[in-house]
Amino acid sequence: MNQKPTLSNLAAIDAAHHLHPFSDMKKLNADGTRIISSADGCNIWDSTGKKYIDAFAGLWCVNVGYGRKSIAEAAYAQMQELPYYNTFFGTTTQPTTLLAQKIASHSGPNLQHVFFTNSGSEASDTWFRMARVYWKALGKPTKTTVIARKNGYHGSTVAGASLGGMKSMHEQGQLPIPGVVHIGQPYWYAEGGDLSPEEFGLKVARELEDKILELGEDNVAAFAAEPIQGAGGIIVPPSTYWPEIKRIAAKYDILLVADEVICGFGRLGTWFGHQYYDFQPDLAPIAKGLSSGYLPIGGVLVSERVAKVMIEEVGDFYHGYTYSGHPVSAAAAIENLRIIEDEGLVERVRDDIGPYLKMALASLEDHELVGETVCVGLMGAVQIAADKSTRRRFEKPDAIGSLVRNQCVDAGVVLRATGDRMLFSPPLIISHSEVDQAVEALRNGLDWLKDNHKE
Ligand code: PXG
């Protein structure tokens, strides 16, 4: 046990003992997992010494980049002072409370309360229960159904996976649970047919109104969506979409939930995604960029309307996690947010590197296999097309995306493929030249696909 494991034996240990999330484990065990051993800025290194640009910020989360000593120091200092205490039964810790205040300073006057969790999935479970508790406290116990979207992603817990609209996830574990229904997504490229993007945006937004009328307003608790769908493929909604959702949510008495787990903390060039789209959510789950992934922490931003009922009518919400608002995670998150503030990273995404990535991705539009490129802030996607003139896609989109992704990874650039969309979500500190290198790797990957893949 004292001996440092060799590379091959670490892979063998992994195959023998470690079950991985969202991975074909049989294949992984046969191929051997890639071991990531260090990181700095926008770069990661694997255990063979190979260097990569991480154009995906880990899993959409390392917003301030790797290697921030001040975050490590903040966590170390907190661990020495007070490694753990809880927020149940009448106590809190200093970093937990100060973090709530700091988040509230960016989330606008209507979102002044935070309920802490350890992840985005736990945040989904938290708001799901809170929404139902809220309506019950107001004497409307039948308002329980939540409307979410096909292809949305809200986590892997039972509520999270139910709220998400991923068919493959629903098939495992008999989901969704009762009381969760799904409407269409604003994915114009694949599903818009002959409609213009603006017409299609209105059409899918109006599915919300149809669903509320079908279920009856008295039975609907909330509508939940990511401002921009992330794991579903960076689905940037047409310009008509959010204004129409906003209109419908205001017309009917339902809660509007913005899942900010990816869009929050600067990714869209605003502190939160709902600010980019100019709407006011009643509840907003957060995680990822809150600590840039340095330690696990998440939460739910709670509007004044809901907080008032939770405090004054409900009083005791029988919900919480041992590590809700963990002081060490909170200390790391405070330092992370200080970096985002002091280095002006939100403004950098809005005014500099976001527009730069958008331009770099748009330069791929001359490629025979590129159907469209989209980019808001540092969330950018490239849609692969078999025939761009008709928007025809390759028959096996998942396989296509993986082929191109593997080319990019071999070339030293990590990005994510969702089906046949290639996704960029880099740290907010990525440089112009790193963007150029990442986009160049994708162009080469697309060239490779053109030469090597025939349907
Ligand atoms: N909401 C959204 C919008 C997310 O993207 C979650 C909730 C759940 O968060 P936790 O912290 O429980 O993972 C997420 C997470 C991918 C990928 O492959 C995306 C996520 C997680 C893992 C992989 O794109 N998003």
Side-chain angles (χ1 to χ4, degrees):
M1 265 303 173
N2 289 336
Q3 254 181 345
K4 209 169 177 218
T6 63
L7 278 188
S8 61
N9 102 26
L10 196 60
I13 294 169
D14 196 72
H17 297 295
H18 182 194
L19 295 177
H20 288 245
F22 286 92
S23 311
D24 177 342
M25 285 181 280
K26 201 164 166 187
K27 187 170 181 314
L28 190 68
N29 289 351
D31 295 351
T33 179
R34 183 177 287 114
I35 300 154
I36 304 302
S37 22
S38 61
D40 191 38
C42 270
N43 293 124
I44 56 173
W45 283 264
D46 72 16
S47 52
T48 69
K50 185 173 160 77
K51 176 180 172 183
Y52 307 81
I53 293 175
D54 182 6
F56 205 62
L59 273 179
W60 320 83
C61 56
V62 189
N63 287 14
V64 298
Y66 299 93
R68 297 287 193 160
K69 287 207 168 46
S70 65
I71 299 182
E73 282 159 7
Y76 182 59
Q78 181 59 43
M79 224 180 234
Q80 286 177 310
E81 177 89 19
L82 177 71
Y84 173 76
Y85 205 74
N86 65 69
T87 53
F88 286 47
F89 317 134
T91 53
T92 188
T93 70
Q94 179 170 307
T96 313
T97 295
L98 293 183
L99 177 60
Q101 181 191 39
K102 200 167 192 54
I103 296 169
S105 74
H106 295 293
S107 52
N110 190 44
L111 289 170
Q112 286 293 298
H113 290 82
V114 188
F115 190 104
F116 284 113
T117 67
N118 306 290
S119 68
S121 297
E122 289 180 358
S124 289
D125 286 58
T126 299
W127 73 250
F128 185 82
R129 292 194 65 206
M130 195 183 282
R132 289 177 164 184
V133 167
Y134 167 82
W135 287 117
K136 189 161 181 246
L138 288 181
K140 298 184 177 177
T142 59
K143 284 175 80 67
T144 55
T145 298
V146 174
I147 303 171
R149 300 192 303 193
K150 289 179 188 134
N151 210 27
Y153 189 80
H154 302 286
S156 283
T157 49
V158 170
S162 293
L163 291 163
M166 308 279 183
K167 216 167 141 237
S168 53
M169 291 180 76
H170 291 166
E171 280 164 4
Q172 297 181 326
Q174 288 150 296
L175 302 176
I177 51 172
V180 180
V181 297
H182 297 87
I183 59 171
Q185 57 174 333
Y187 186 7
W188 173 79
Y189 193 87
E191 298 172 1
D194 293 333
L195 297 180
S196 69
E198 292 72 27
E199 289 166 340
F200 181 68
L202 281 180
K203 178 173 173 275
V204 282
R206 286 179 187 157
E207 286 184 28
L208 175 59
E209 187 154 32
D210 295 344
K211 189 56 87 180
I212 294 170
L213 293 173
E214 176 196 321
L215 295 167
E217 186 180 350
D218 289 345
N219 298 315
V220 178
F223 170 65
E226 300 150 79
I228 293 178
Q229 244 166 255
I234 305 194
I235 308 301
V236 177
S239 61
T240 47
Y241 183 78
W242 275 113
E244 186 66 1
I245 293 285
K246 199 164 125 177
R247 180 191 70 77
I248 295 165
K251 179 168 171 193
Y252 301 95
D253 198 14
I254 63 166
L255 297 176
L256 181 56
V257 182
D259 187 329
E260 296 280 3
V261 168
I262 288 177
C263 295
F265 304 102
R267 184 141 302 283
L268 303 189
T270 47
W271 273 91
F272 295 98
H274 67 267
Q275 295 164 343
Y276 180 83
Y277 285 110
D278 190 26
F279 68 92
Q280 283 292 343
D282 298 295
L283 295 164
I286 53 175
K288 295 191 190 276
L290 169 57
S291 65
S292 286
Y294 278 66
L295 282 170
I297 186 163
V300 180
L301 301 179
V302 180
S303 62
E304 296 318 282
R305 164 190 182 182
V306 177
K308 191 164 187 289
V309 171
M310 293 306 292
I311 295 165
E312 288 175 17
E313 308 296 329
V314 178
D316 204 344
F317 182 31
Y318 306 121
H319 182 93
Y321 307 98
T322 302
Y323 305 123
S324 281
H326 192 287
V328 181
S329 301
I334 289 173
E335 177 56 15
N336 170 63
L337 298 184
R338 186 203 62 74
I339 292 171
I340 297 179
E341 289 164 1
D342 288 1
E343 296 185 8
L345 294 181
V346 179
E347 297 75 17
R348 175 172 196 266
V349 172
R350 188 189 63 205
D351 300 334
D352 173 21
I353 196 68
Y356 191 81
L357 177 66
K358 188 182 172 85
M359 203 176 62
L361 293 178
S363 76
L364 295 171
E365 284 173 5
D366 63 4
H367 197 284
E368 197 179 311
L369 297 184
V370 172
E372 71 165 358
T373 69
V374 294
C375 188
V376 175
L378 283 183
M379 262 179 116
V382 174
Q383 172 75 51
I384 299 175
D387 179 352
K388 61 199 278 180
S389 65
T390 58
R391 307 212 311 267
R392 186 171 67 80
R393 298 162 72 194
F394 285 102
E395 256 165 41
K396 294 201 175 113
D398 283 342
I400 292 294
S402 299
L403 285 172
V404 177
R405 179 181 189 271
N406 292 344
Q407 290 297 310
C408 295
V409 172
D410 286 348
V413 172
V414 177
L415 37 75
R416 162 119 159 70
T418 289
D420 50 7
R421 282 171 89 79
M422 308 307 298
L423 313 184
F424 288 76
S425 172
L428 312 188
I429 53 146
I430 192 168
S431 68
H432 289 206
S433 91
E434 284 166 333
V435 165
D436 292 342
Q437 290 170 60
V439 172
E440 184 62 23
L442 180 54
R443 180 179 283 281
N444 293 338
L446 293 164
D447 285 344
W448 178 90
L449 186 69
K450 187 165 73 112
D451 296 339
N452 290 279
H453 184 81
K454 301 281 170 268
E455 271 196 330

